[in-house]
Amino acid sequence: MTSFAYSPKKTSSLLLTSLLLGACASTPPAPPAALTQARQAVQSAEGDPMVRTHAPLELKTATDSLGRANAMLAKGDDGPELASAAYVANQQARRAVAVALAKSNDAAVAGSVAERERARADQRTQELASSRKQTGVAQRQAAAAEQVTEIAVATAAGAQADAAKAQAELSALQAQKTERGMLVTLGDVLFELNRAEVKPAAQQAMRKLADYLQQNPKRQVLIEGHTDNSGGSALNDALSLRRADAVKAALLSAGNGLPTVAISTVGHGERFPVADNSNASNRALNRRVEIYISENDQPVRPRR
């Protein structure tokens, strides 16, 4: 019978080799840069008490989107759809922070306005109480003044409610405030490859945006189409314009009565990327449609 000599050095080497192989087998794939950025943005938003207080729904939307992106990575899907999902989660997290800040500021302003209105009403009430002691005419004037005050307060409250409703509608579309107006970004996942027909998944967003424009008829809209650098520039220019026109048609179809002249389209092709086109993830970010909404009745300022 053959005997084997015990070697501590040889046994330790085998054990170390087994541990290294096990570690390599369990190392998960590194997430793409877009997903890393999305995770950081969502984590930052979750840690902000103001966001948790004033924008819980927007924060949940961003968290759910990040969860879908993480699930794609866990399944081994690190292509354009993962990049688009990560980009959407990143934008939603930023939007949650912006909505929280806006609502916090609105609450402070509303409180200040209400306090001034109450002070004015108290002062007027005191003046009217003094007048009532003099004549019956003064009493009638006091009653009329009180009604005017109530109407003024109700009007201010109605204006604040309308502003809050408009803000909520844009928040649902993850709109961002820019120097050119409010921006709504539609990712490449809303179109088939090299096609311009809007997918059915975008119809709900089109209806929400159409409803907002119907309630704000003085707003002007500029729809910009963008592509990556794949293909020739002439092809990309044509494709980007076709996609912008398709979004316009979807908006008009979703909102009966929308004024056609208030919605303009332009195709920029590959000229204004948001990321370099060195990989598939970045190219997916560049394939997008951006919808700019003016803050008044003036046209949206074009790109410089």
Side-chain angles (χ1 to χ4, degrees), residues 38-52:
R39 288 173 175 174
Q40 293 172 349
V42 172
Q43 183 179 7
S44 176
E46 289 177 332
D48 191 334
M50 183 174 63
V51 175
R52 295 196 301 268

Side-chain angles (χ1 to χ4, degrees), residues 128-295:
L128 295 174
S130 176
S131 298
R132 288 192 188 100
K133 295 179 182 180
Q134 299 178 7
T135 63
V137 175
Q139 292 178 350
R140 290 192 294 270
Q141 292 175 344
E146 288 179 351
Q147 290 179 353
V148 171
T149 301
E150 291 175 356
I151 292 173
V153 173
T155 301
Q160 291 175 359
D162 290 342
K165 182 178 180 181
Q167 182 66 42
E169 290 171 347
L170 288 179
S171 298
L173 295 169
Q174 288 84 50
Q176 292 180 296
K177 187 172 183 179
T178 72
E179 61 181 7
R180 300 174 63 202
M182 298 304 296
L183 168 62
V184 177
T185 301
L186 303 178
D188 179 62
V189 294
L190 300 181
F191 299 92
E192 298 290 351
L193 182 63
N194 293 327
R195 300 293 297 272
E197 295 81 12
V198 178
K199 287 184 178 180
Q203 297 305 320
Q204 183 177 4
M206 294 297 98
R207 284 193 296 271
K208 289 182 179 179
L209 183 54
D211 289 343
Y212 173 79
L213 295 176
Q214 285 178 325
Q215 297 174 18
N216 298 270
K218 294 184 178 180
R219 303 296 176 95
Q220 301 286 308
V221 179
L222 176 60
I223 304 174
E224 298 182 345
H226 300 270
T227 68
D228 59 19
N229 65 348
S230 302
S233 59
L235 177 63
N236 288 334
D237 287 345
L239 178 59
S240 64
L241 179 58
R242 284 166 46 212
R243 287 188 168 183
D245 288 339
V247 171
K248 176 180 179 179
L251 268 179
L252 295 175
S253 176
N256 294 328
L258 283 179
T260 305
V261 294
I263 305 177
S264 303
T265 60
V266 63
H268 290 303
E270 59 192 68
R271 287 186 290 278
F272 297 100
V274 294
D276 63 74
N277 287 287
S278 59
N279 55 60
S281 298
N282 286 353
R283 288 192 294 272
L285 296 179
N286 291 329
R287 296 191 298 267
R288 68 200 188 279
V289 173
E290 295 181 345
I291 304 174
Y292 286 90
I293 306 170
S294 71
E295 297 183 355

Side-chain angles (χ1 to χ4, degrees), residues 69-183:
N70 286 331
M72 291 180 186
L73 180 64
K75 293 179 180 179
D77 182 1
D78 59 351
E81 290 191 359
L82 172 59
S84 294
Y87 175 78
V88 169
N90 192 344
Q91 295 300 313
Q92 290 173 340
R94 294 184 179 183
R95 185 57 196 163
V97 174
V99 168
L101 179 60
K103 288 185 178 179
S104 177
N105 292 338
D106 288 345
V109 172
S112 177
V113 171
E115 185 62 30
R116 288 197 299 270
E117 291 296 336
R118 283 193 294 269
R120 291 173 182 172
D122 291 342
Q123 180 180 1
R124 187 57 180 163
T125 300
Q126 293 175 0
E127 294 173 353
L128 295 174
S130 176
S131 298
R132 288 192 188 100
K133 295 179 182 180
Q134 299 178 7
T135 63
V137 175
Q139 292 178 350
R140 290 192 294 270
Q141 292 175 344
E146 288 179 351
Q147 290 179 353
V148 171
T149 301
E150 291 175 356
I151 292 173
V153 173
T155 301
Q160 291 175 359
D162 290 342
K165 182 178 180 181
Q167 182 66 42
E169 290 171 347
L170 288 179
S171 298
L173 295 169
Q174 288 84 50
Q176 292 180 296
K177 187 172 183 179
T178 72
E179 61 181 7
R180 300 174 63 202
M182 298 304 296
L183 168 62

